[in-house]
Amino acid sequence: MIFDELFKGTNTVERIAINAALFHELSKGNHSILVSTHDKELATLLRERYELYHFSETVTDNQLTFDYKLKKGIAQEGNAIKILRLYGYPDSVVEEAERIKDRGFY
C-alpha cells in the first residue's frame, strides 16, 4: 500500500490523529506500507511501529538540489522557507517565517 499526504485538506491536529490511527491499524496486518508525509509529528507517532526514512536537499548557488538518497530517521530540516528565499520573496517574510518556525506556534 502506498499513501501520500493523507487528509491533507483538514486541520493539522485531526489530520495527524487520523493518520496515526489508520497506520497503527494497518501495522497490525501483514502489509507492506509506504507513507509520504511532511508532518514530523506524525512521523514521531509512527516511529515505534515503522522504519522511517527521509530525503534531504542542499542549496548551492541559489539552487535547490536533491541527492535522492534515502536517509534513516526523520528529516530535521524543511525546505519550504528556503524555497521562499530562492523565489525572491521579501526578506521580511522569509525572516518572519523563520522566527515563527523557531519559536513554535502550537
Side-chain angles (χ1 to χ4, degrees):
M1 293 179 221
I2 299 174
F3 301 97
D4 181 26
E5 300 287 347
L6 287 180
F7 303 99
K8 64 184 174 187
T10 192
N11 70 74
T12 303
V13 172
E14 288 186 313
R15 179 182 64 249
I16 291 168
I18 292 167
N19 275 277
L22 174 65
F23 295 128
H24 284 165
E25 185 66 25
L26 289 173
S27 74
K28 295 175 185 176
N30 185 21
H31 308 285
S32 293
I33 302 167
L34 297 172
V35 178
S36 167
T37 185
H38 288 95
D39 290 318
K40 287 183 179 183
E41 299 86 353
L42 176 60
T44 299
L45 290 170
L46 297 178
R47 69 180 168 204
E48 299 300 319
R49 298 178 191 219
Y50 289 86
E51 293 182 41
L52 304 177
Y53 296 89
H54 68 278
F55 292 108
S56 61
E57 73 289 327
T58 56
V59 177
T60 308
D61 299 323
N62 289 325
Q63 186 165 353
L64 187 68
T65 306
F66 292 88
D67 63 10
Y68 298 102
K69 294 180 181 176
L70 282 176
K71 294 156 186 89
K72 225 171 179 19
I74 299 171
Q76 297 305 307
E77 289 192 35
N79 60 20
I81 296 173
K82 294 175 191 175
I83 291 171
L84 289 180
R85 189 176 304 282
L86 290 175
Y87 280 93
Y89 278 73
D91 288 342
S92 60
V93 171
V94 174
E95 290 164 8
E96 184 173 0
E98 285 285 357
R99 280 192 299 276
I100 292 168
K101 176 189 69 123
D102 290 343
R103 85 168 171 251
F105 52 88
Y106 55 91

